[in-house]
Amino acid sequence: MAHAADPVAPVAPAAQGVTAPAVDLGKAAAPNFKTFKSPAERSVRKGLPGGKAGASASQAAGNPDLALVLNAASTSAHALDLETTVISADSTLKVTVDWGDGNTDGMDAYGSTVLKSSHTYAELGEYTVKVTVTDPANQAEVVNEFQAMTAGSDFVPYAPTRLLDTRDGTGAVKGKVAPYSSTRVKVGGNGAIPAGITAVVLNLTVTNTTSAGHITAFAEESERPTTSNVNFEAGQTVPNLVIVPVKNGYVELANRGSESVDLIADVTGYFTRTRASGYTPMTPARFVDTREGLGANRGQLGGRKTFSTQIGGLRGVPEGITAVALNVTVTNPKEAGHLSVFPGGATPTASNMNFTPGQTIANSVIVPVGADGRISVFNGAWAGTDVIVDVVGYYSTDSKASYMPLKPGRIIDTRDPAWPYGPLRARNYIYTYNGKSPGDVGVDGYVLNTTVTNTRGTGFLSVAPDPNTIQQYKDQTAVFPERPSASTLNWTAGKTVPNLVQASSGKNGVVDYWNQGWEDVDLVVDIFGYYESK
């Protein structure tokens, strides 16, 4: 079962959900927000250019204490709040704020006062903010300034490259990661990846497992979160995409199982505070289905064979994109193998998922596109498999949403006794509101990890934006949403399955998690960051 093609329930069930924000994004993102200061002693005084002829020396020396104190703080991925304290004698003043990007704000003032202003930068970067106060009566002018850096991060695609393989000693000492211990992955300063990056995109694979457990990825020298990124059972090889903050150039991968495991990490991109590619989320759209001949030849992708498909310039995705966010599903494989997704025109260098005969498995993929806007898919098995590709978003220099990494947090756990609804019911959905605050429209999407467990049959999960506002749910006037057609992850009875989701916030900041199977399941959702355009 790889997509929602089964019959719709004859009666629409009542939705489960919570109307309060699932997490306070503003508070959670606080570590990313920086403050900037410039004290009064940094004020530079000068006489007005072209002063009035015959101005007296007393006028030029008037208002001798005129000065500015500047205090600023970033408040979102692109925005800055500024507090300007004016120190002045009683006199009519003109205050001008030059934000450093070609935009200015003017304000009138009288004597000593405190002025507040804010600005949203169209592009990430470092800017010189300069404030000028003019006292025409005393022919005086004072300037103060500071350097400000926006808080958000843009994406830089990176050709898929293996950074860690404990099986052969790539990036670490050769040998399995011991139980309840961790290994480091050097990211910043590794290869062509610069130092000072804020987060990295890794395809993380756990293999050679002998017991059940999970892997948690987090920034070096940070408190290990209680969330999970990859869940596994004995004998399984399980991949999952992670977007993880980077500190001191490293990330930590913790083995939370009771037996040692091998870990593999492949990089496909990173985030930096300098201008690069922003993100545009989409309602998931199917671009490839080999079972139907959509986007590729009809029929299974043969063993050791490759197909290429167009992404840029099709179905709402513009030309000129730099990378694409996908959900890739393998179904009906004839034998065990792996799948590699890579830029069109390149060669495969890393795997994105591993599969066994007859298995249906999905994994999130972020991959650069070729110069022609194409991607390629390689079947590493020696026999055929069907492949499904859903596009969930894209990166481009014209896209405005920048990434804000968070300390990972759990927003849904239907196993928790405090959860009021119990398991996610069959053919039903859970909705959550994930805005920074009610009415916030700057958040474009969320980076989540979804996990289903305690499964009783086969099924699949779909994640999509909700057409209703959170107020409609509060008022009980919400309409039952259209059932999504794209899948996020697939499961069989008794399995615990994770997958990363880059979920669009839609128009209202409400996200739905659909159980497309006919048996109840437990759902766990962790949040790792969000994309913000303002």
Side-chain angles (χ1 to χ4, degrees), residues 180-431:
Y180 305 110
S181 65
S182 65
T183 188
R184 297 194 312 165
V185 181
K186 181 175 175 56
V187 181
N190 193 343
I193 303 173
I197 65 173
T198 57
V200 64
V201 178
L202 297 174
N203 195 67
L204 180 60
T205 303
V206 58
T207 190
N208 296 325
T209 60
T210 55
S211 69
H214 68 269
I215 304 298
T216 297
F218 56 103
E220 186 192 46
E221 295 185 359
S222 299
E223 181 184 357
R224 177 177 56 81
T226 57
T227 54
S228 63
N229 295 94
V230 186
N231 298 73
F232 57 86
E233 299 175 1
Q236 281 190 321
T237 295
V238 183
N240 198 16
L241 195 73
V242 300
I243 300 178
V244 58
V246 176
K247 186 175 181 180
N248 303 324
Y250 286 87
V251 299
E252 294 273 349
L253 304 177
N255 172 19
R256 304 307 297 166
S258 59
E259 301 289 341
S260 59
V261 298
D262 277 312
L263 293 177
I264 304 164
D266 301 315
V267 61
T268 63
Y270 58 87
F271 291 89
T272 174
R273 283 202 169 95
T274 56
R275 179 185 177 186
S277 294
Y279 183 62
T280 299
M282 297 172 52
T283 298
R286 185 143 295 171
F287 272 58
V288 175
D289 191 336
T290 59
R291 301 169 303 176
E292 302 174 1
L294 174 65
N297 292 331
R298 184 172 183 177
Q300 291 196 327
L301 175 61
R304 312 299 294 178
K305 298 296 184 182
T306 299
F307 71 74
S308 296
T309 191
Q310 189 72 32
I311 302 294
L314 290 180
R315 303 185 63 189
V317 178
E319 296 180 350
I321 64 173
T322 58
V324 63
L326 310 169
N327 200 68
V328 180
T329 304
V330 166
T331 190
N332 306 316
K334 301 302 183 185
E335 64 174 34
H338 71 272
L339 204 71
S340 296
V341 185
F342 55 99
T347 55
T349 57
S351 65
N352 294 93
M353 65 175 67
N354 300 74
F355 50 84
T356 56
Q359 184 181 26
T360 296
I361 185 172
N363 195 25
S364 287
V365 175
I366 297 175
V367 62
V369 298
D372 57 358
R374 297 171 71 85
I375 63 166
S376 297
V377 178
F378 169 71
N379 175 13
W382 291 99
T385 185
D386 281 307
V387 179
I388 301 161
V389 178
D390 296 320
V391 175
V392 302
Y394 57 86
Y395 298 88
S396 75
T397 55
D398 292 330
S399 298
K400 301 302 181 184
S402 299
Y403 186 57
M404 296 290 290
L406 302 175
K407 179 182 178 181
R410 185 146 291 175
I411 61 176
I412 296 175
D413 189 344
T414 61
R415 305 166 302 177
D416 190 333
W419 177 256
Y421 301 107
L424 172 54
R425 295 195 294 270
R427 307 297 293 167
N428 203 353
Y429 70 98
I430 289 173
Y431 64 86

Side-chain angles (χ1 to χ4, degrees), residues 436-459:
K436 289 179 71 175
S437 60
D440 178 68
V441 294
V443 176
D444 296 70
Y446 315 98
V447 175
L448 310 167
N449 201 70
T450 54
T451 304
V452 294
T453 190
N454 297 324
T455 56
R456 300 171 179 85
T458 60

